[in-house]
Amino acid sequence: GNNDLNVRLKVMLEHAKLFEKLYKNKRNFIIMRKHMVKYIKGFDDVKKLKIDLMKTKNAKEVEKIVNYVIINYFLAQNINVNHLEVDVP
């Protein structure tokens, strides 16, 4: 479920940070991209996430994406649309 994706995203982010720390100025961050997409393989509706991750240039950019995705999944899980009041004209 979404919780599994959240866990994988957090681990992926740590991987990206470690890569950057260990290989800063030695290896291009682009190498890390192929590893990141493996973390999200098998989940539904992650095409845009994959595209965004493949554009990242550093761990900070990965962190922004991860935080955005986790916050939005959290919100989606906790909002019950059946209880929202909507004024229909």
Side-chain angles (χ1 to χ4, degrees):
N2 289 341
N3 198 36
D4 295 334
L5 179 60
N6 288 346
V7 171
R8 283 209 196 176
L9 289 174
K10 289 175 184 177
V11 174
M12 178 191 72
L13 176 57
E14 287 308 308
H15 188 174
K17 287 178 178 180
L18 278 172
F19 179 92
E20 202 168 68
K21 186 177 178 180
L22 292 170
Y23 298 115
K24 191 109 176 162
N25 304 321
K26 294 179 189 145
R27 289 196 174 173
N28 195 317
F29 192 80
I30 290 170
I31 297 166
M32 185 61 210
R33 292 177 184 172
K34 67 181 177 190
H35 299 294
M36 290 191 299
V37 295
K38 290 176 186 173
Y39 282 98
I40 61 171
K41 191 174 182 173
F43 288 95
D44 297 332
D45 303 321
V46 291
K47 186 176 180 182
K48 182 176 182 338
L49 175 58
K50 182 179 178 181
I51 291 167
D52 290 344
L53 288 172
M54 293 302 285
K55 294 177 184 175
T56 57
K57 297 179 193 89
N58 54 53
K60 199 78 175 158
E61 290 181 5
V62 175
E63 187 168 28
K64 285 180 185 176
I65 292 168
V66 168
N67 287 340
Y68 177 83
V69 171
I70 289 174
I71 288 167
N72 282 296
Y73 275 143
F74 175 78
L75 290 174
Q77 286 176 344
N78 288 293
I79 294 174
N80 184 337
V81 291
N82 295 325
H83 292 92
L84 293 177
E85 291 183 25
V86 180
D87 293 322
V88 180

